[in-house]
Amino acid sequence: MDHNSYSDQYLRSILASVKTIAMVGASPHWNRPSYFAMKYLQGKGFRVIPVNPRAAGETILGERVYADLAEISEPVDMVDIFRNSEAAGAIVDEAIRIGAKIVWMQLGVRNDAAAARAESAGLRVVMNRCPKIEYSRLHGELAWSGVNTGIISSKRQKRVPR
Amino acid sequence: MRDDDKPAGFGFETRAVHAGAAPDPTTGARTTPIYQTTAFVFDDVDHAASLFNLQTYGYIYSRLTNPTVSVLEERVSALEGGRGATACASGHAAQMLAFFAFMEPGAEFLASTKLYGGSITQFGRSFKKFDWNVIFVDPDDPENFRRALTPKCRAIFVESLANPGGVVTDLEPVAQIAHAAGIPLLVDNTLASPYLCRPIEWGADIVIHSTTKFLSGHGNSMGGVVVDSGKFDWSQNDKFRSLTEPEPAYHGLRFHETFGDLAYTVAGHALGLRDLGATMAPLNAFLTITGIETLALRMERHCANALAVAQFLEAHPMVKWVSYAGLPSNRYHALAKKYLPKGAGSVFTFGVKGGYEAGVKLVEGCELLSHLANLGDTRSLIIHPASTTHRQLTEEQQIVAGAGPDVVRLSIGIESAADIIADLDQALRQAG
Ligand SMILES: Cc1ncc(COP(=O)(O)O)c(C=O)c1O
């Protein structure tokens, strides 16, 4: 799998298959990037479970914060990693152990060895991307900010819930 | 990171017609509606808060973003191969906004001496009031930029095809010099248009247009646009603090960390347009979007006509010299072949025998060519820069900028070439 570029189809099918996201490195501070992403994804109907040992037991955007992935008792479809590339390695192994189907590493986060382990365990992997940006790009909202989405269509756009 | 497979999959002409413009979600309208509204309702207070915090996407107020204007932004960004774009009220507003994102008082930048006269004045005089200090550099030897660099330099600015003289800048080595110094290369691509040259492919980080010219193409709307390649790493050093340090106006948000390769475009709207206020009007965006749909067709004709006129002038007894990079005799011909393989544009200069006086007579004698201060129109245009666009410069600056007393500038339109040539011929005879 080439992790330098992903087809729209690959990203679409990942985002369409996901209901529950565990967000590792979720911050309780409203002006941090992870908070932006969590709030946006919640608004689009995703369940987002924050994971952050330093905020364990607190609540972020109405969700209880867990200390690690293993502590989460319900099924997790996707693990979204807001940590540095090195730390991502152990989190990916944890994601494999809890039976997640997708590992997503945020903008600037890339760990090819961990990605290879996840892929050989049957998980799908996205690296160095933001699910908020990709979701909004594929659903026409990112274009509202003057961004080149790469999407051309003669079909009337469907509105997505906010 | 961006998805390169799709945009690259569509050809230039397809992108020129379609990029950014899906049918209207509410009505199905196929052309882009003119959203002639100042503001947009919030669903509730939480929605408003998310918008003001930049946590979600949506429209608030047309000074920042507007649905018609954002179609134009995506369109130009797609044509240039950029990540995103910010439209502005004029080309000059776009230049101001492009620098505003990262300049600070005391900072410097390098700019080519071969620029539109208005840009030389904007950089050399008005930017000084913000203590943004330009150092002008002769671009004909790219090494001149390396020699002129200072620790305070934050950017290099050039025109791909320079106004007025048909000068072609050697973009590739200049980009390398900028990147070795950890600063971005900004390229004004107005005269070439993305159909002829795409500076990002040669290493430019930011591309600026006066959309007033070839992009709108019909001489009917002012506008500008700043396109970001998304490739420049603003965090590689401590020179670009306004993009990397906490932004007080957004409660300590760090633009580059939060928005990644969208940071410059988000800041262009959320800081640049918000505070400078030089927003493009929706009607102008609509006219420019419509103009861009035929960009490829128009540029082909512009270039063919310009070459025919240049060849005619080169052989004319009243003409001293012709500076058109499309002519094999021109010193920039090799660079034009590299950077502008589909044609050297339609704006160029020539020297009329008889100097300043003859130049003035010539422009006044034209019946088909319009004597006015614009370029990139469907109509053919003629001007004598020394008495008009470049008159604010000293004579020395005029000569350096290719706008000396005998210089006449043409912007060749898309009329019948024979008619343009006949009009110039009769006016040249009168001037002689
Ligand atoms: C190369 C170039 N850049 C910038 C500008 C300024 O654009 P505007 O007049 O839209 O402000 C012009 C205008 O002539 C131009 O020719």
Side-chain angles (χ1 to χ4, degrees):
Chain A
M1 169 96 203
D2 172 18
H3 287 286
N4 292 312
S5 99
Y6 302 104
S7 71
D8 289 353
Q9 212 185 351
Y10 180 71
L11 296 173
R12 259 187 226 281
S13 87
I14 283 181
L15 290 168
S17 72
V18 168
K19 284 203 177 62
T20 303
I21 301 170
M23 186 178 279
V24 181
S27 169
H29 302 293
W30 76 266
N31 61 358
R32 300 297 302 154
S34 60
Y35 192 98
F36 279 40
M38 180 169 169
K39 186 170 182 190
Y40 180 81
L41 294 169
Q42 281 184 328
K44 299 301 171 193
F46 295 97
R47 169 92 195 279
V48 186
I49 302 173
V51 177
N52 182 344
R54 280 181 302 164
E58 291 176 32
T59 301
I60 302 177
L61 289 162
E63 290 283 352
R64 183 188 146 191
V65 185
Y66 289 85
D68 58 41
L69 286 171
E71 219 190 291
I72 303 173
S73 53
E74 46 202 306
V76 168
D77 302 314
M78 174 170 124
V79 174
D80 182 14
I81 305 176
F82 269 92
R83 297 290 308 280
N84 63 42
S85 301
E86 205 196 321
I91 298 163
V92 170
D93 294 331
E94 189 81 10
I96 298 169
R97 237 174 285 137
I98 66 161
K101 297 178 188 66
I102 294 144
V103 168
W104 190 304
M105 302 183 209
Q106 280 291 332
L107 274 179
V109 186
R110 180 161 178 163
N111 187 323
D112 284 280
R117 292 198 296 277
E119 281 169 344
S120 55
L123 283 76
R124 289 195 284 175
V125 177
V126 177
M127 296 190 283
N128 192 22
R129 293 292 179 105
C130 171
K132 174 191 173 196
I133 291 175
E134 295 308 320
Y135 185 93
S136 62
R137 185 177 71 79
L138 295 167
H139 293 85
E141 291 190 356
L142 190 62
W144 299 346
S145 313
V147 173
N148 180 11
T149 62
I151 292 165
I152 284 179
S153 170
S154 62
K155 296 277 183 285
R156 193 192 289 204
Q157 287 172 293
K158 287 189 190 62
R159 287 170 173 281
V160 283
R162 73 157 177 86
Chain B
M1 281 280 303
R2 47 175 306 196
D3 209 340
D4 276 314
D5 53 344
K6 262 289 171 150
F10 291 108
F12 185 90
E13 290 80 357
T14 306
R15 283 176 279 150
V17 174
H18 289 283
D24 182 62
T26 306
T27 61
R30 190 61 193 93
T31 62
T32 300
I34 304 167
Y35 286 91
Q36 190 65 36
T37 183
T38 304
F40 303 84
V41 291
F42 306 118
D43 295 343
D44 51 44
V45 169
D46 184 54
H47 180 222
S50 295
L51 285 168
F52 278 104
N53 290 343
L54 306 177
Q55 286 164 330
T56 192
Y57 307 94
Y59 297 102
I60 299 176
Y61 188 64
S62 285
R63 170 154 35 85
L64 288 90
T65 50
N66 171 281
T68 311
V69 177
S70 50
V71 170
L72 173 66
E73 292 172 332
E74 182 168 7
R75 177 77 50 92
V76 181
S77 181
L79 294 182
E80 288 288 2
R83 182 64 173 126
T86 309
C88 299
S90 68
H92 261 24
Q95 288 176 185
M96 176 81 206
L97 184 125
F99 282 101
F100 181 73
F102 56 77
M103 289 296 278
E104 55 192 13
E108 296 172 348
F109 66 99
L110 307 183
S112 166
T113 47
K114 308 258 169 72
L115 296 182
Y116 163 55
S119 299
I120 292 176
T121 312
Q122 184 190 35
F123 295 168
R125 302 210 153 266
S126 291
F127 277 19
K128 282 256 152 68
K129 297 189 178 180
F130 307 112
D131 199 13
W132 301 351
N133 301 297
V134 64
I135 300 166
F136 287 111
V137 176
D138 179 354
D140 284 344
D141 178 2
E143 283 303 313
N144 288 344
F145 288 101
R146 198 189 308 276
R147 286 188 275 269
L149 280 167
T150 71
K152 288 182 181 171
C153 275
R154 295 290 181 270
I156 297 180
F157 183 100
V158 300
E159 289 179 9
S160 50
L161 178 61
N163 179 5
V167 173
V168 183
T169 307
D170 198 355
L171 298 176
E172 211 173 9
V174 181
Q176 282 161 6
I177 291 164
H179 296 158
I183 60 176
L185 173 64
L186 279 60
V187 177
D188 181 340
N189 198 32
T190 298
L191 260 60
S193 88
Y195 179 71
L196 298 178
C197 176
R198 283 172 304 282
I200 291 170
E201 293 172 4
W202 301 107
D205 301 287
I206 290 158
V207 175
I208 298 158
H209 281 277
S210 164
T211 61
T212 315
K213 317 298 179 190
F214 290 101
L215 291 178
S216 76
H218 297 72
N220 59 16
S221 351
M222 296 299 299
V225 69
V226 184
V227 180
D228 177 29
S229 68
K231 291 182 179 145
F232 189 78
D233 178 6
W234 302 103
S235 301
Q236 65 182 280
N237 52 44
D238 62 359
K239 291 181 199 276
F240 306 101
R241 285 189 283 259
S242 46
L243 289 163
T244 58
E245 298 277 296
E247 168 57 46
Y250 285 102
H251 306 277
L253 181 144
R254 296 167 192 260
F255 273 80
H256 193 216
E257 181 190 15
T258 304
F259 300 111
D261 63 2
L262 302 174
Y264 185 85
T265 300
V266 175
H269 295 87
L271 300 174
L273 290 179
R274 187 197 64 181
D275 293 346
L276 299 175
T279 305
M280 182 185 278
L283 177 63
N284 284 18
F286 171 81
L287 291 167
T288 307
I289 292 162
T290 307
I292 289 173
E293 291 176 9
T294 56
L295 179 68
L297 296 171
R298 286 186 287 108
M299 291 314 291
E300 274 175 19
R301 177 62 69 88
H302 276 298
C303 291
N305 281 358
L307 183 60
V309 171
Q311 283 164 344
F312 159 77
L313 291 172
E314 204 174 31
H316 200 283
M318 273 295 291
V319 173
K320 269 198 286 191
W321 50 266
V322 178
S323 173
Y324 181 58
L327 292 174
S329 59
N330 188 270
R331 66 178 287 203
Y332 298 103
H333 190 63
L335 287 174
K337 277 183 140 164
K338 173 171 178 182
Y339 294 106
L340 307 154
K342 290 185 176 157
S346 89
V347 178
F348 64 95
T349 51
F350 67 95
V352 60
K353 285 187 188 156
Y356 193 95
E357 293 297 305
V360 169
K361 265 199 189 153
L362 169 63
V363 296
E364 289 178 348
C366 286
E367 294 289 342
L368 179 66
L369 282 83
S370 304
H371 177 205
L372 55 76
N374 190 23
L375 54 89
D377 195 328
T378 50
R379 284 152 278 264
S380 291
L381 314 175
I382 186 164
I383 199 157
H384 180 231
S387 60
T388 53
T389 50
H390 287 62
R391 72 175 301 137
Q392 270 104 346
L393 305 185
T394 64
E395 186 165 332
E396 194 194 355
Q397 280 178 316
Q398 286 176 350
I399 290 166
V400 170
D406 66 336
V407 176
V408 174
R409 188 189 74 192
L410 297 173
S411 171
I412 297 300
I414 60 174
E415 306 100 327
S416 310
D419 295 333
I420 305 167
I421 289 171
D423 192 43
L424 280 169
D425 191 34
Q426 66 79 21
L428 277 165
R429 284 173 206 279
Q430 279 187 53

